[in-house]
Amino acid sequence: MNEMTLDVTIRQPQNHAEIEKFIQICRESRLSSVLVTTRQDSRYLSLFAIKNSDVVGGFVCFISPEKEKADLDAMAVQEQFRRQGIGSLLLEELKTQLKDRGIKILSLVPVNATETYYLNKGFSYDVTDENYVVFQL
């Protein structure tokens, strides 16, 4: 899908071991429950960052095509790989894929110290619910 100078590939999960690794990364990042599947399901989009055949980050997004909206349920990068552009690469790939599906709004509830990160990436507070930040695609 997408590669960068960090020798990171962004792609869909291919097996349960990769999913388990991402769930472990989410737990280490203090994120709550995450639903990830290798099944083809048009309501969900999951992409992982792979480095040296190992999952180092990823995201899970729930898509509501009828509302032209997607909710980013979880995005996490393994601690030792943070601040290297992997999260930005994941977010850009997510935006591209959502635009291709006709989605117009990406929203999320920022957790921990992620609020500043998302605001710096162009998200803004949702005028109807200040717990959410949104990005217009």
Side-chain angles (χ1 to χ4, degrees):
M1 287 204 156
N2 198 351
E3 294 185 30
M4 62 186 288
T5 58
L6 292 173
D7 194 30
V8 173
T9 302
I10 306 298
R11 63 165 170 75
Q12 291 183 326
Q14 296 181 344
N15 56 56
H16 291 288
E18 289 181 353
I19 292 170
E20 287 300 319
K21 175 67 179 200
F22 179 64
I23 290 171
Q24 176 187 347
I25 293 168
C26 288
R27 285 188 190 125
E28 290 168 359
S29 299
R30 294 189 173 100
L31 296 176
S32 58
S33 62
V34 177
L35 173 64
V36 186
T37 180
T38 55
R39 261 187 347 194
Q40 293 299 322
D41 187 333
S42 62
R43 297 171 300 163
Y44 290 95
L45 175 61
S46 300
L47 293 176
F48 290 172
I50 309 295
K51 182 175 178 74
N52 298 326
S53 301
D54 195 22
V55 175
V56 298
F59 67 77
V60 179
C61 189
F62 178 75
I63 301 170
S64 301
E66 65 281 352
K67 295 180 182 178
E68 298 179 329
K69 181 181 176 200
D71 295 312
L72 183 58
D73 292 333
M75 184 169 125
V77 175
Q78 203 169 2
E79 190 169 358
Q80 66 264 37
F81 294 102
R82 292 180 189 159
R83 301 187 103 23
Q84 297 179 23
I86 294 171
S88 295
L89 185 66
L90 284 163
L91 197 53
E92 287 308 310
E93 185 63 32
L94 171 60
K95 291 175 187 176
T96 298
Q97 292 212 16
L98 291 175
K99 282 181 192 176
D100 291 348
R101 294 176 185 214
I103 302 301
K104 296 186 184 335
I105 298 171
L106 172 60
S107 70
L108 63 101
V109 176
V111 294
N112 304 331
T114 63
E115 186 172 359
T116 301
Y117 173 83
Y118 289 109
L119 292 173
N120 287 338
K121 296 294 181 188
F123 284 75
S124 59
Y125 291 102
D126 188 333
V127 295
T128 60
D129 186 343
E130 64 185 31
N131 293 316
Y132 283 83
V133 294
V134 296
F135 188 88
Q136 301 292 325
L137 297 167

